[in-house]
Amino acid sequence: EAWRSTDSIGAFLGEISDLPFYRAMGFTLTYTFTVTPLLIVLGLMIALAVNSLNRHLKGLVIFFSLLPMIVTPLIGSLILFWMIDSRGVLGSALQYLTDDPTLSLKASTGLTWIMLIVYGVWNSAPFAFVVFYAGLQTLPQDQLESAQIDGATRWQRVRYVVVPHLMPLVTFVALIQLMDNFRGFEPIVGFNAEAHATSFSWIIFNDMGGETRLLSSAATTSVLTILGVAVLLTPVLIRTWRDFSRKAH
């Protein structure tokens, strides 16, 4: 009886996961909670690296770091889509490295999700880099010098001096990126990945287009998207309010 009950629960969960809404929710949450922390970490690492460079090299490195922001998101996803094709540079290289001529990033759901996540981090990390780099210019040098005199390593200075100083900016970047990633749309369209990954925004677009316009479904998904964004932002907003109240007192 226990085996049958477990089997029934598994079958039920399988049917639920096949529904368009739950498939979109699964990818949207995975994409949001993976891309957001990764881009924050990557943006901070780039900002720290650029800030320590010689001033003659900073301009060039900053230019290349901002390229993902210069390229339109849809165009950037299309370029990467062509590159990962089996006839593209990345697709051919991956087949060569794995010694599998049949390997295709577009045919695997797992690889498609990884590809979209990598693109999301690449496309959004420059924003975090710009914000953190601007914050590093206001970093109190006397605190860094004191920590260095006390024998703190570079990692300890970053952890106990730099990161606390940038925490308001980390919160700001997290707020912006949580909203943006939860509404992810361009990568799915650009990569033509709707067979493996869909989001709430893609469902709204799909319901409102085509011959049969499901306006009620699109409206419902829009409301649920707004509620989802509100739920995601609530903890961050509460923490920001507490920090503001603590400083005010």
Side-chain angles (χ1 to χ4, degrees), residues 77-121:
S77 61
L78 284 174
I79 294 174
L80 189 56
F81 177 77
W82 296 327
M83 293 175 66
I84 64 173
D85 188 80
S86 58
R87 297 166 294 179
V89 177
L90 297 180
S92 301
L94 189 60
Q95 289 179 352
Y96 175 78
L97 292 175
T98 58
D99 196 22
D100 185 2
T102 63
L103 181 64
S104 174
L105 291 173
K106 302 176 184 178
S108 170
T109 299
L111 291 177
T112 300
W113 284 33
I114 293 175
M115 178 179 59
L116 292 172
I117 289 172
V118 170
Y119 170 78
V121 175

Side-chain angles (χ1 to χ4, degrees), residues 44-56:
L44 179 59
M45 291 174 60
I46 297 174
L48 291 172
V50 172
N51 195 53
S52 62
L53 288 176
N54 185 282
R55 63 186 182 88
H56 298 291

Side-chain angles (χ1 to χ4, degrees), residues 14-207:
E15 293 177 359
I16 290 294
S17 62
D18 288 336
L19 295 176
F21 176 81
Y22 290 103
R23 284 194 287 112
M25 182 174 64
F27 172 76
T28 300
L29 293 178
T30 301
Y31 182 83
T32 301
F33 288 111
T34 304
V35 171
T36 303
L38 287 178
L39 72 88
I40 289 176
V41 173
L42 181 60
L44 179 59
M45 291 174 60
I46 297 174
L48 291 172
V50 172
N51 195 53
S52 62
L53 288 176
N54 185 282
R55 63 186 182 88
H56 298 291
L57 297 176
K58 284 185 179 180
L60 184 63
V61 176
I62 290 175
F63 171 76
F64 283 106
S65 300
L66 296 180
L67 279 179
M69 293 186 65
I70 299 174
V71 179
T72 306
L74 185 58
I75 300 301
S77 61
L78 284 174
I79 294 174
L80 189 56
F81 177 77
W82 296 327
M83 293 175 66
I84 64 173
D85 188 80
S86 58
R87 297 166 294 179
V89 177
L90 297 180
S92 301
L94 189 60
Q95 289 179 352
Y96 175 78
L97 292 175
T98 58
D99 196 22
D100 185 2
T102 63
L103 181 64
S104 174
L105 291 173
K106 302 176 184 178
S108 170
T109 299
L111 291 177
T112 300
W113 284 33
I114 293 175
M115 178 179 59
L116 292 172
I117 289 172
V118 170
Y119 170 78
V121 175
W122 173 82
N123 183 65
S124 303
F127 171 75
F129 155 66
V130 170
V131 175
F132 294 148
Y133 183 73
L136 288 175
Q137 309 314 305
T138 64
L139 187 67
Q141 295 299 317
D142 55 342
Q143 294 185 13
L144 283 177
E145 293 173 358
S146 300
Q148 190 172 5
I149 292 174
D150 291 338
T153 63
R154 179 174 176 81
W155 163 247
Q156 290 173 330
R157 294 197 300 271
V158 170
R159 180 180 178 182
Y160 295 107
V161 179
V162 176
V163 172
H165 178 76
L166 296 179
M167 277 308 296
L169 297 179
V170 172
T171 303
F172 168 73
V173 172
L175 282 171
I176 299 299
Q177 293 303 320
L178 280 173
M179 292 186 291
D180 192 45
N181 293 329
F182 196 81
R183 296 180 290 104
F185 175 74
E186 292 91 349
I188 296 175
V189 175
F191 284 102
N192 196 22
E194 55 269 14
H196 301 284
T198 56
S199 64
F200 292 142
S201 297
W202 185 90
I203 288 180
I204 297 171
F205 170 79
N206 186 60
D207 288 342

